Amino acid sequence: MFKITKSIKKQNHFIKSRSKEINNWLMEHGISKKEAKKLVIFAQENIILKVFLNLISLEGKNKRKFITEIIYIVLYSRLLYTNLDGAETKEVKIEKIKITKIIETLLPTSTNKSIMKVNYEKEVFNDIKNFSSFSDEIINKRKHFYYSEIGTIFSKISDDNGDSFYKYGYLLSMYVITYFESDFESNINTYNNFLFKLKLNDLLSESTKEISPFYFNGIISKVNKWLTKKSKMFKFREGAW
C-alpha cells in the first residue's frame, strides 16, 4: 500500500512539470491566463487525474504521451465539481461557459471502438430502484456524459482491457462527485442517496480489483483518505480547487 500511495502522491510533480504545456493549450483555446493558472492548481489536487496517471505508470506506459487526455480530464472533472456549487461567483460562471464551449466545439467525443459505452449511472439507479423512491423519470434525467467521457479516456490506458478501464474511470469520477454531493448538499443526503452510494462503492471496489488486483488495497485506501480529508476542508467557492 505504501508504494501505491507514494506513487499517487508523486503525480503532483509530473503535473507541475507539464504546467507550462497545459497552460499554453488552455490559453490557446480561450482560457485566460488567470483561469488557466487555477485549472493547473485544480489538476494538482484532482484525485481522478492522479489515479489516471498512476495507472498509466502501472501499465508501463509513458505519461508524456497522454498530455491531451490529461487536459480533457481536467476540463470534464472541473465542470463536474463546479456543478455542485449552487452559489457560483461571476468568475466561476464565466469559466464554466468557456470550458463548456471548448468541450462542445473543440473536443471530439472520446472514441475507443474496442469498448462498449455503458451508462453505469443508470445501472446503479436501476439496481436500487425497488428499494428506494427513485422513479424512472428521475433516472432518465441523470446526465452521464462527463462520466462516460472520463471512462473512455481511462480506457486508452490499456490495450487489452479497455472495457474494464472504461468502467473504472466512469465509476471513480461518479463516486467522487457522489461523495461530495452527500457531504455538502444536505437536502439530497437521504436514504435514497445512501443506497446509491453503497451500491456505487461496491461496484467501484470490484472494478478496482479487476484492473489492479495487486495494488487494490492501496488505491482504495488512497482515494478514501483523500475524500475524507477534502470533505473536512473543502468549500465550493472560487479557487477552492
Side-chain angles (χ1 to χ4, degrees):
M1 187 174 76
F2 174 75
K3 183 177 180 180
I4 196 76
T5 301
K6 185 177 180 181
S7 182
I8 291 176
K9 187 176 181 180
K10 278 188 174 181
Q11 303 309 332
N12 274 355
H13 176 73
F14 176 79
I15 297 171
K16 287 179 181 178
S17 72
R18 316 313 298 179
S19 60
K20 184 177 180 180
E21 189 173 352
I22 296 171
N23 265 299
N24 289 341
W25 190 98
L26 291 170
M27 289 188 287
E28 287 173 3
H29 291 82
I31 302 296
S32 71
K33 184 176 181 179
K34 181 180 178 181
E35 291 164 341
K37 183 178 179 180
K38 288 181 180 178
L39 284 170
V40 171
I41 294 173
F42 166 76
Q44 295 169 12
E45 292 294 323
N46 190 334
I47 191 64
I48 299 171
L49 180 56
K50 288 181 181 181
V51 174
F52 174 76
L53 291 170
N54 197 76
L55 291 176
I56 291 173
S57 297
L58 291 178
E59 288 291 302
K61 296 192 174 181
N62 188 341
K63 290 181 289 189
R64 292 183 178 87
K65 295 183 178 180
F66 288 84
I67 298 299
T68 300
E69 285 78 12
I70 288 170
I71 294 171
Y72 288 7
I73 287 178
V74 171
L75 295 177
Y76 288 127
S77 57
R78 178 65 175 178
L79 284 184
L80 284 170
Y81 285 125
T82 54
N83 281 341
L84 292 171
D85 191 356
E88 298 171 340
T89 66
K90 182 179 179 181
E91 287 184 277
V92 170
K93 289 180 180 179
I94 293 173
E95 180 194 62
K96 285 177 65 174
I97 291 172
K98 289 183 178 181
I99 294 176
T100 301
K101 183 177 180 180
I102 290 174
I103 287 174
E104 291 179 346
T105 62
L106 297 177
L107 299 192
T109 299
S110 297
T111 57
N112 187 335
K113 295 181 180 179
S114 65
I115 67 167
M116 291 184 61
K117 286 194 172 184
V118 179
N119 184 340
Y120 288 108
E121 185 176 27
K122 185 173 285 188
E123 283 198 359
V124 175
F125 274 108
N126 282 328
D127 283 343
I128 66 172
K129 186 171 64 174
N130 293 333
F131 306 98
S132 68
S133 59
F134 284 126
S135 64
D136 288 332
E137 183 180 4
I138 293 175
I139 294 172
N140 291 331
K141 285 182 178 179
R142 297 293 293 195
K143 298 178 181 179
H144 74 289
F145 174 76
Y146 298 142
Y147 299 140
S148 179
E149 291 300 290
I150 291 173
T152 303
I153 294 170
F154 268 72
S155 74
K156 296 180 180 181
I157 297 174
S158 175
D159 298 322
D160 305 315
N161 201 15
D163 283 317
S164 294
F165 276 77
Y166 167 83
K167 182 178 181 180
Y168 178 78
Y170 191 122
L171 293 174
L172 175 65
S173 55
M174 184 162 59
Y175 181 71
V176 171
I177 297 304
T178 300
Y179 189 98
F180 286 122
E181 279 182 334
S182 299
D183 206 12
F184 291 96
E185 300 291 343
S186 58
N187 61 314
I188 65 167
N189 194 13
T190 63
Y191 184 62
N192 284 339
N193 202 51
F194 171 76
L195 291 175
F196 183 80
K197 285 196 303 179
L198 196 62
K199 181 63 179 179
L200 180 54
N201 182 68
D202 288 343
L203 287 176
L204 181 61
S205 295
E206 292 172 5
S207 180
T208 306
K209 188 177 294 185
E210 184 176 349
I211 66 167
S212 188
F214 187 75
Y215 293 116
F216 165 75
N217 288 331
I219 294 175
I220 291 292
S221 175
K222 183 61 179 178
V223 170
N224 286 329
K225 183 177 179 181
W226 183 90
L227 287 169
T228 301
K229 178 182 177 182
K230 289 298 178 182
S231 71
K232 294 177 180 178
M233 61 182 287
F234 180 75
K235 292 184 179 180
F236 291 111
R237 61 179 180 223
E238 180 191 358
W241 290 89

